[in-house]
Amino acid sequence: MPDELWQLLQNPQSSAHGARHLGDALVRSGTLTADQLSKALATQYIEAKGDRAIPYFNRAMIHRRENDLTAAMKDLQAALTVEPSFSPSWLELPRVA
């Protein structure tokens, strides 16, 4: 895969040519969707630190778009565990319940 990705980035006719970063290249090439990339980045941050509500909230919104309301609820609750006053999570809870 690294060789294929390098070729995508170097080929001027490639959909990934001119990508700003590796994630952008993966989305432009159709290897990942924007939601898949966002969820992967949020998960990576959560696994490394898990000390902010925003990554949990962002991942919850992706889960909701994917109609995985159980996972969305878990992430919203996790966001409120680390930041109890994070109002976007409070506002979103009724939508996934």
Side-chain angles (χ1 to χ4, degrees):
M1 174 136 169
D3 289 337
E4 294 169 22
L5 186 55
W6 181 250
Q7 289 173 353
L8 281 172
L9 293 171
Q10 296 302 311
N11 181 351
Q13 279 72 43
S14 166
S15 57
H17 183 73
R20 298 178 317 253
H21 50 76
L22 178 58
D24 187 25
L26 292 169
V27 171
R28 286 181 184 214
S29 70
T31 304
L32 291 176
T33 66
D35 274 353
Q36 288 171 323
L37 176 62
S38 295
K39 189 166 30 170
L41 291 173
T43 299
Q44 185 179 21
Y45 183 88
I46 289 164
E47 289 173 353
K49 295 189 178 188
D51 61 347
R52 307 249 352 250
I54 291 173
Y56 288 105
F57 179 80
N58 289 344
R59 192 170 68 177
M61 296 302 89
I62 295 167
H63 288 310
R64 186 170 65 102
R65 282 195 296 275
E66 296 171 341
N67 206 28
D68 187 349
L69 301 183
T70 301
M73 177 67 78
K74 280 180 64 176
D75 276 345
L76 291 170
Q77 290 170 337
L80 292 170
T81 298
V82 295
E83 289 184 47
S85 63
F86 190 70
S87 60
S89 289
W90 285 112
L91 295 170
E92 197 61 38
L93 278 172
R95 296 181 181 143
V96 300

